[in-house]
Amino acid sequence: MPYIIAQPYDYPLPTDSNLALIIIDMQRDFMELGGFGDILGNDVSRLQTIVPTLKRLLNGCRALQIPIFHTLEGHQADLSDCPESKRKRGKGELTIGDVGPMGRILVLGEPGNSIIPELAPLSGEILIPKPGKGAFYNTQLESQLQARNITHLLTTGVTTEVCVQSTMREANDRGYECLLVEDATESYFPEFKQSTLEMVRAQGGIVGWTAPTDSVLQGLREWRDEG
Ligand code: TIU
């Protein structure tokens, strides 16, 4: 039985279904000054630290022909999919839909609302725009996973305790086997990242597993060699 060395115990890889890499919201809005993350009052520079590791994981998965999903948090131009509660929240002068240095904040199609160039999707990879924190809410994600018989998700991206954790919890409730890649996710708050890793794998893996990129790539290569 192929597996990834992980916590709280080895993560079994699928034998008659598929696995995907899902990269959550690696978009300029969260990574750069003037975006949504910045206007919420966060130090966006922290998130840059995972880019080389996530790129290595992405390239490794591409080489192994693992399906890749990218998500992008953003709203329709008329904000019809943005609850007033979300728009009102935050402490900056600007809010969702207002014009900032990278265009309208958190609006689909605006310059800031794009995946950072280092991790830009290639053709054949699936981009899921999402209005919420969890990637299953009001999106095509579940039907796209089902169409590919995907049961296992490697989750990565930003921010660990917000969109990444929300997505893992949504996935877990839908029966997906989720592994959070420890050094391919980051938060504006180091203590929240650490707590999230612990929350996910506590109680015998109540939400799923965690493992570093090196362990993930090693397990995936062995799995592909055996398969
Ligand atoms: N604010 C924050 O930490 N995150 C978000 O608003 N979205 C995501 O996590 N993608």
Side-chain angles (χ1 to χ4, degrees), residues 168-186:
M168 281 191 81
R169 288 176 181 275
E170 287 183 323
N172 191 44
D173 283 345
R174 287 167 172 78
Y176 292 92
E177 306 279 18
C178 299
L179 184 149
L180 175 56
V181 187
E182 296 162 7
D183 47 0
T185 183
E186 196 45 86

Side-chain angles (χ1 to χ4, degrees), residues 7-9 169 172 197-208:
Q7 294 188 63
Y9 59 92
R169 288 176 181 275
N172 191 44
L197 296 177
E198 290 168 20
M199 276 188 253
V200 162
R201 63 195 179 210
Q203 305 181 62
I206 193 82
V207 178

Side-chain angles (χ1 to χ4, degrees), residues 6 13 33-34 42 44-45 50 63 121 128 138 141 145 158 175 178-179 186 198-199 202 227:
L13 287 159
L33 287 172
N42 299 301
V44 295
S45 66
I50 60 163
I128 305 279
N138 219 350
L141 179 58
L145 293 172
V158 298
C178 299
L179 184 149
E186 196 45 86
E198 290 168 20
M199 276 188 253

Side-chain angles (χ1 to χ4, degrees), residues 34-189:
F36 186 57
D38 180 34
I39 65 164
L40 290 175
N42 299 301
D43 172 8
V44 295
S45 66
R46 279 195 54 80
L47 306 190
Q48 288 292 341
T49 59
I50 60 163
V51 173
T53 307
L54 184 44
K55 176 91 191 175
R56 193 159 61 82
L57 178 63
L58 174 60
N59 285 339
C61 288
R62 282 171 173 162
L64 295 168
Q65 301 195 327
I66 286 166
I68 316 282
F69 288 72
H70 303 257
T71 71
L72 185 68
E73 183 176 345
H75 295 280
Q76 302 291 330
D78 63 4
L79 303 184
S80 55
D81 59 356
C82 181
E84 189 55 24
S85 57
K86 183 176 180 183
R87 205 169 127 71
K88 280 193 317 213
R89 223 67 75 70
K91 53 191 174 186
E93 283 173 21
L94 300 176
T95 186
I96 298 168
D98 292 344
V99 179
M102 295 190 287
R104 291 184 68 205
I105 290 162
L106 222 61
V107 170
L108 295 170
E110 296 289 325
N113 196 242
S114 56
I115 307 290
I116 59 168
E118 299 94 314
L119 303 172
L122 296 181
S123 83
E125 298 177 358
I126 300 123
L127 181 68
I128 305 279
K130 66 195 235 317
K133 302 305 179 195
F136 286 82
Y137 170 66
N138 219 350
T139 72
Q140 298 295 311
L141 179 58
E142 192 163 20
S143 61
Q144 294 281 352
L145 293 172
Q146 285 170 348
R148 292 163 181 80
N149 194 25
I150 291 164
T151 53
H152 288 56
L153 294 175
L154 303 176
T155 53
T156 65
V158 298
T159 61
T160 315
E161 79 282 9
V162 184
C163 293
V164 176
Q165 182 170 209
S166 291
T167 299
M168 281 191 81
R169 288 176 181 275
E170 287 183 323
N172 191 44
D173 283 345
R174 287 167 172 78
Y176 292 92
E177 306 279 18
C178 299
L179 184 149
L180 175 56
V181 187
E182 296 162 7
D183 47 0
T185 183
E186 196 45 86
S187 169
Y188 301 121
F189 307 90

